């Protein structure tokens, strides 16, 4: 996404850094998920708040357990 946005300030970010950052973020989410509920949505495509809100509400009401790689939107 960074390359697609073509922002000058972002073009110098090393790819290796971004790969490590992504890995650490995934590790953090997995670890924090042991202590608090985590809802993971697939954001490879933008979704409006109106599309996401029912999923968040369902999760908050306890009707859904931990969701990884959600693709039902």
């Amino acid at each position: 996404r960074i390359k697609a946005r073509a922002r000058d300030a972002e073009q110098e970010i090393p790819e290796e850094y971004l790969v490590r950052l992504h890995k650490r973020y995934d590790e953090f989410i997995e670890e924090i998920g042991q202590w608090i509920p985590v809802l993971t949505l697939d954001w490879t495509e933008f979704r409006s708040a109106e599309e996401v809100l029912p999923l968040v509400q369902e999760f908050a009401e306890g009707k859904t357990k931990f969701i990884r790689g959600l693709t039902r939107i």
Side-chain angles (χ1 to χ4, degrees), residues 33-54:
Q34 296 175 27
W35 305 101
I36 62 172
V38 175
L39 174 64
T40 303
L41 300 173
D42 180 1
W43 283 101
T44 54
E45 293 184 32
F46 177 79
R47 305 293 181 201
S48 70
E50 290 79 19
E51 292 175 289
V52 175
L53 182 59

Side-chain angles (χ1 to χ4, degrees), residues 1 7 9 12 18 20 22-23 25 27-28 35-36 40 47 53 56 62-63 72-73:
R1 279 190 263 173
R7 295 178 182 163
E12 300 299 318
L18 296 173
R20 286 193 330 259
H22 182 80
K23 181 178 183 252
Y25 181 77
E27 291 169 355
F28 168 76
W35 305 101
I36 62 172
T40 303
R47 305 293 181 201
L53 182 59
V56 174
K63 296 178 184 174
R72 73 178 213 195
I73 297 180

